[in-house]
Amino acid sequence: MSYDSLTSEAKTIPLESAEQWRDPELARILIDKIAAAAEAFERLQSKSNEKAPLKIMEVCGTHTMAIAKWGLRAVLPDSLQLISGPGCPVCVTANHDLDFAIELAKQPDVITATFGDMMKVPGSYESLSEVKAKGHDVRIVYSPLDALTLAENEPQRQIVFVGVGFETTAPLIAATIKRAEAMNLDNFSVYAIHKTVPKALRALADDAEVQVAGFILPGHVSTIIGLEPYQFLARDFKVPSVIAGFEPVDILQGVAMLLGQKIEQLQTGSDEARVDLAYTRAVRTEGNPTALAAIEEVFEPSDATWRGLGEIPDTGLTLRKAYAKYNAALRFNIQPPPTREPKGCQCGDILRGIISPHDCRLFGRACTPENPLGPCMVSSEGSCAAWYRYYGTTNNNANSD
């Protein structure tokens, strides 16, 4: 095999039909390519006296679940480590933001609407699910438009939608707010805890403790923002990255393309890197201009606190002045109690990729899906939930760091 052409070879594997996304033959071709490339990488490393482990971070909770579900760690070389990053929006939500949402739910004549993943996430003292059990009106919705329907049907009550997500969900929230304005609804507001991904990746790439050799970039987010916002990874940090889909062949293709870039760097002695696109059936280079315009019209950047990463400037989204009357944080005068973190929970370190879920001393013991102590065990996209479901409570079945 010509290793320096592995990137282009992997890129030319067609993935345009559903049959190909899970094709065992295509998967085997890519697994063999990855194994051969990993051996070549190790040989080149020894020649250059480099011994750094090859860690690839996926930055999407759907990737995290897919990698675990399809057992991809088990078919990859031991020298190649897939680690999970802050790709779960529920997981990276800070406790003080959760506490505010919980206090909102306790307000008289308020119906709080949110996605199901948010219900069991523990705040400093309790969860929305526990607040609901105490008699407060908290409802699960499948879309913010459902919350808008609630506002129409319950005109005497205030409806607050607790919005969590990345760039993927922000356009729909923006459209919902615009529709509320068109309908002249005065009893609808949004508590927006949205975050944007690129600058969080900058924080990770700049973190000496993380040591990521490549990124599998989030496919869903990339359908909205395209390639350009990630270019700093290649330009400023020389870290290869690839936008990949979520089926097993998609992810293997992304890993093969990343390895191709790493080999090119060692062979040429150059640190040049690229942001490659493997998910061509869903992602356009320029992203989705209509969705980006909706976000730009309704929201403006704000500082946001990420669990595990701390406060990162301009990674949050708050409503612009023109839509401020729909901002629940301004509509309700709430002072949550002092924030506290769950004792012993290492969710923040897991979200940074410096430990695996199995390394957390609470994992599978004090912290389980039935009794979660941190959001990484709660969300359907959480890495702890994925590892518990597919690898169990021991470290025997996962290729971990």
Side-chain angles (χ1 to χ4, degrees):
M1 176 185 294
S2 174
Y3 297 115
D4 55 0
S5 65
L6 189 145
T7 298
S8 59
E9 288 179 5
K11 191 182 292 187
T12 57
I13 293 177
L15 294 177
E16 301 304 324
S17 68
E19 292 79 11
Q20 293 171 321
W21 305 339
R22 300 181 184 179
D23 186 327
E25 184 176 348
L26 278 178
R28 174 50 59 190
I29 290 171
L30 286 165
I31 290 168
D32 290 344
K33 283 181 180 290
I34 290 167
E39 289 181 12
F41 182 81
E42 288 187 88
R43 288 197 299 270
L44 290 167
Q45 265 194 324
S46 63
K47 290 180 181 178
S48 63
N49 296 318
E50 294 182 20
K51 298 294 182 182
L54 196 61
K55 294 184 178 181
I56 294 175
M57 175 181 283
E58 84 272 0
V59 195
C60 181
T62 309
H63 279 138
T64 296
M65 274 293 176
I67 288 167
K69 175 182 178 179
W70 297 109
L72 298 186
R73 285 186 175 86
V75 301
L76 296 179
D78 291 339
S79 59
L80 180 62
Q81 298 172 1
L82 296 182
I83 59 176
S84 302
C88 164
V90 171
C91 302
V92 298
T93 301
N95 258 17
H96 69 78
D97 292 328
L98 291 168
D99 293 342
F100 193 97
I102 289 166
E103 291 303 310
L104 271 174
K106 296 178 182 178
Q107 301 306 301
D109 296 322
V110 166
I111 299 175
T112 304
T114 191
F115 299 134
D117 270 12
M118 286 292 291
M119 292 297 291
K120 291 182 66 177
V121 180
S124 297
Y125 304 93
E126 55 192 337
S127 67
L128 285 171
S129 182
E130 290 170 319
V131 168
K132 179 179 176 65
K134 293 177 181 178
H136 298 284
D137 200 341
V138 184
R139 305 188 192 184
I140 295 174
V141 293
Y142 297 97
S143 163
L145 295 174
D146 295 338
L148 209 59
T149 301
L150 276 176
E152 286 186 274
N153 296 336
E154 301 271 0
Q156 304 306 314
R157 303 181 67 184
Q158 288 291 322
I159 312 301
V160 179
F161 177 73
V162 177
V164 176
F166 296 137
E167 291 93 336
T168 317
T169 57
L172 181 55
I173 307 297
T176 302
I177 291 169
K178 290 180 66 176
R179 183 175 292 187
E181 182 181 49
M183 297 168 64
N184 199 28
L185 286 176
D186 294 327
N187 65 326
F188 176 79
S189 58
V190 173
Y191 179 48
I193 330 176
H194 287 79
K195 294 177 173 62
T196 55
V197 170
K199 288 185 179 180
L201 295 181
R202 179 178 285 277
L204 285 170
D206 206 27
D207 188 334
E209 199 172 5
V210 176
Q211 294 292 311
V212 173
F215 285 104
I216 299 176
L217 297 171
H220 293 142
V221 167
S222 301
T223 63
I224 305 299
I225 68 174
L227 271 67
E228 183 58 34
Y230 303 120
Q231 294 296 344
F232 72 90
L233 291 169
R235 182 186 63 246
D236 300 340
F237 295 97
K238 312 304 180 185
V239 177
S241 303
V242 61
I243 299 170
F246 302 101
E247 297 293 343
V249 174
D250 284 325
I251 297 168
L252 291 169
Q253 184 184 40
V255 172
M257 291 169 67
L258 285 174
L259 275 172
Q261 283 203 56
K262 296 300 294 183
I263 289 172
E264 288 172 19
Q265 287 179 329
L266 287 178
Q267 283 184 324
T268 62
S270 169
D271 61 1
E272 292 302 308
R274 298 185 304 277
V275 177
D276 280 336
L277 175 58
Y279 199 21
T280 55
R281 65 180 182 273
V283 176
R284 294 182 293 181
T285 301
E286 71 276 16
N288 185 323
T290 302
L292 289 170
I295 296 173
E296 176 68 20
E297 178 183 348
V298 175
F299 293 106
E300 63 184 1
S302 62
D303 298 345
T305 301
W306 296 60
R307 189 183 300 269
L309 300 179
E311 184 173 295
I312 307 177
D314 295 333
T315 57
L317 292 174
T318 191
L319 273 66
R320 292 188 180 276
K321 185 176 180 180
Y323 296 95
K325 67 180 180 180
Y326 298 106
N327 188 339
L330 299 178
R331 180 173 293 193
F332 297 90
N333 183 22
I334 290 175
Q335 294 297 326
T339 301
R340 65 181 186 183
E341 300 298 327
K343 187 176 181 180
C345 176
Q346 295 178 273
C347 187
D349 289 338
I350 292 167
L351 290 166
R352 288 172 61 213
I354 62 173
I355 67 171
S356 75
H358 281 152
D359 295 323
C360 177
R361 53 188 170 270
L362 301 181
F363 178 84
R365 299 176 179 87
C367 184
T368 65
E370 294 75 26
N371 181 41
L373 297 182
C376 292
M377 187 63 88
V378 178
S379 174
S380 60
E381 295 188 342
S383 50
C384 290
W387 284 56
Y388 188 94
R389 179 176 180 181
Y390 293 107
Y391 302 137
T393 57
T394 64
N395 206 24
N396 296 329
N397 299 317
N399 175 10
S400 70
D401 50 344

